[in-house]
Amino acid sequence: MLPLYLRVLLIIGALLALAVVGRQVKTTKILIEDAVFWVVVSFILVLLAIFPGPIINFAHAIGFMSASNFVYLVIIVVLLWKVFTNSCEISRLKAKINELAQEMALAHMEDSDHRDDKTN
């Protein structure tokens, strides 16, 4: 059985996450695609808290002694996956910023060369 305190904690955490995501979307500090991820995760947590039976059965079927340990593991794995995808995106954006800075430097250098040619 999933303890009542864990079920309540899942619901409270999910509702808080929805409130934070909603506020961030409202102030346009988060992209909609990222907001959708957090809304889906929150919805799943609420479903787990309200209907723990299937997850309890699945946890016991794959060998977990406690369903709460399985829930914690799943949450950790999901968050690690999100961190990984964010790291990939940050790396891609850093490479793009570097490329744009180099293009701007070349354009500035070419512009300076054209101005020097006109003055001579």
Side-chain angles (χ1 to χ4, degrees), residues 28-109:
T28 63
K29 292 183 180 179
I30 188 173
L31 296 175
I32 296 297
E33 64 190 43
D34 293 328
V36 167
F37 170 82
W38 291 111
V39 168
V40 168
V41 167
S42 296
F43 180 72
I44 290 170
L45 289 177
V46 169
L47 284 179
L48 282 175
I50 295 172
F51 306 108
I55 201 72
I56 291 170
N57 293 336
F58 184 70
H60 290 298
I62 60 175
F64 280 85
M65 299 296 278
S66 170
S68 57
N69 290 342
F70 179 69
V71 171
Y72 290 138
L73 177 67
V74 169
I75 289 171
I76 289 169
V77 168
V78 168
L79 292 177
L80 285 174
W81 179 256
K82 186 63 176 166
V83 168
F84 174 73
T85 58
N86 284 345
S87 294
C88 291
E89 181 69 12
I90 288 169
S91 295
R92 189 186 65 77
L93 291 173
K94 282 182 179 180
K96 184 69 175 175
I97 287 171
N98 193 23
E99 179 184 327
L100 290 172
Q102 290 171 354
E103 287 177 11
M104 287 180 64
L106 286 173
H108 180 71
M109 188 174 69

